[in-house]
Amino acid sequence: MNIVYMGTPLFAVAALEAIVNAGHNVIACFTQPDKQKGRGKNVAPTPVKEKALLYNIPVYQPVKLRDEENVELIRDINPDVIVVAAYGQILPETILNIPKYGCINIHASLLPKYRGAAPIERAIIDGEKETGVTTMYMAKGLDTGDMIEKCVVAIDGKDTGLTLHDKLAKAGSELILSTLELIEQGKAVRVPQDDSKSCYASMLTKDMGRLDFCKSAIELERLIRGLQPWPCAYTNINGKSAKIYDADVIDIDSSIVEGLEASGIDAGSIIPGMIVGVTKKSFTIACSNSALRIRRLQPEGKKVMDTAAFLAGNKLEIGQVL
């Protein structure tokens, strides 16, 4: 089929590769405008643009897709179908009605759960055991269109937003080929979503990463994993911000109590945020229940490091409150 592909981040690259390699004719790619990146603020192309140019696919980067000139452009291109994966702009109805086979979205959740901008991260943060990818016909609402196919992906106990992203990108690249084949054969079935079972995964913000030790250790450990690679969970240690990359949930057991007592601290005085254990390789922070043993972190202005390397140059004491 003649396909217009719309996508922007790394998540959308695998599906573009799969569609091209399967022999479909991608006649144009639409992606977000280039942005400044890094400390040097050099303008960088989007991952989808980079891949499209390698395939010699014409690339368009409109600031506002809904502008009439862009709608007319897509009419002139006249695709059989538009495939969308994390494009970053809402498609207006004028564009949704152009392709004869419609606009198909690759969404990184098992709809109707986790509609919205951050379904991958929310699945981890909420403690889901599995998630997946859904292909769907796009409609006016946000991720509300009729579903076509789904595939389930298990969430490992140490999956981060980054590792789960990669699993889902691969799953999506395989699912879209199956979906396009069904559409070509006229066998694609529309399955309406049950709106009563939906929930919204809002866009991530830096504030979401602040660790509130009044929450349970289990909640915070999931937050640490879910918010990688951005914005990352963080706290303040000795007056400086530190991003936390890896932590284990542990019970406040007799060995921790003995360590507190040896430091002159009564176990009954433990409060959330208190450091209740320090070794050469880790330190442990009390939460509302249980505790977090920190294994890897990134001090302000430094690279990500094992906690042992951090403690070699930073003194922490039992009883100190973060």
Side-chain angles (χ1 to χ4, degrees):
M1 290 191 289
N2 290 327
I3 294 174
V4 164
Y5 190 81
M6 296 184 176
T8 297
L10 192 59
F11 176 81
V13 171
L16 174 59
E17 287 180 315
I19 290 168
V20 171
N21 292 336
H24 293 289
N25 183 27
V26 180
I27 50 181
C29 263
F30 283 73
T31 189
Q32 292 282 65
D34 298 340
K35 291 184 178 180
Q36 293 179 335
K37 290 183 70 176
R39 292 182 179 179
K41 294 191 175 180
N42 297 318
V43 176
T46 70
V48 164
K49 179 181 179 179
E50 285 188 309
K51 184 60 65 174
L53 292 176
L54 288 176
Y55 288 130
N56 295 315
I57 299 169
V59 174
Y60 302 92
Q61 296 178 277
V63 175
K64 293 183 179 179
L65 185 67
R66 63 177 56 251
D67 287 350
E68 186 57 33
E69 63 187 39
N70 298 315
V71 177
E72 284 301 318
L73 172 61
I74 294 172
R75 285 199 184 102
D76 291 341
I77 293 171
N78 192 29
D80 295 320
V81 64
I82 295 176
V83 175
V84 181
Y87 174 46
Q89 293 193 46
I90 295 175
L91 274 61
E93 201 167 8
T94 49
I95 290 177
L96 294 178
N97 294 330
I98 291 175
K100 65 179 179 180
Y101 293 124
C103 298
I104 309 301
N105 186 37
I106 305 168
H107 186 74
S109 81
L110 298 175
L111 290 171
K113 204 163 191 178
Y114 300 127
R115 295 170 178 171
I120 299 173
E121 296 83 358
R122 272 289 302 277
I124 294 175
I125 292 168
D126 288 358
E128 300 286 350
K129 300 299 182 185
E130 63 182 25
T131 184
V133 178
T134 305
T135 51
M136 56 180 284
Y137 288 102
M138 297 182 72
K140 282 181 67 177
L142 180 63
D143 300 326
T144 57
D146 291 344
M147 301 176 293
I148 306 170
E149 290 189 286
K150 293 183 182 182
C151 68
V152 175
V153 173
I155 300 176
D156 183 82
K158 278 296 184 181
D159 263 329
T160 65
L162 180 59
T163 61
L164 186 57
H165 164 282
D166 293 348
K167 289 181 183 180
L168 293 173
K170 183 177 185 297
S173 71
E174 296 168 353
L175 190 66
I176 189 60
L177 296 184
S178 170
T179 296
L180 289 174
E181 185 175 346
L182 290 175
I183 289 170
E184 274 190 294
Q185 296 172 353
K187 296 179 180 179
V189 177
R190 289 179 174 267
V191 180
Q193 294 188 44
D194 183 348
D195 291 341
S196 68
K197 295 180 180 179
S198 71
C199 63
Y200 179 65
S202 59
M203 189 176 294
L204 301 178
T205 66
K206 287 186 178 181
D207 287 343
M208 290 175 64
R210 182 181 292 277
L211 291 173
D212 177 1
F213 296 107
C214 290
K215 294 182 178 180
S216 72
I218 290 174
E219 287 179 275
L220 296 183
E221 191 273 340
R222 295 195 306 236
L223 187 72
I224 290 166
R225 290 188 290 112
L227 294 185
Q228 292 179 46
W230 190 91
C232 292
Y234 64 94
T235 188
N236 285 336
I237 301 175
N238 293 337
K240 292 186 177 181
S241 179
K243 295 177 180 177
I244 308 300
Y245 278 84
D246 187 21
D248 296 328
V249 176
I250 67 163
D251 292 328
I252 297 179
D253 57 16
S254 58
S255 64
I256 287 179
V257 171
E258 289 171 4
L260 286 167
E261 291 175 347
S263 299
I265 299 170
D266 184 86
S269 64
I270 295 174
I271 60 172
M274 178 183 286
I275 294 177
V276 294
V278 180
T279 69
K280 290 183 178 180
K281 294 184 177 181
S282 68
F283 62 94
T284 303
I285 309 167
C287 302
S288 67
N289 59 29
S290 301
L292 282 178
R293 181 158 287 163
I294 308 303
R295 299 290 190 184
R296 201 157 54 96
L297 72 166
Q298 183 180 19
E300 186 176 321
K302 305 286 186 179
K303 294 182 178 180
V304 180
M305 61 183 68
D306 291 337
T307 306
F310 172 77
L311 290 173
N314 295 270
K315 187 177 181 180
L316 297 182
E317 296 181 348
I318 292 176
Q320 183 177 341
V321 179
L322 305 187

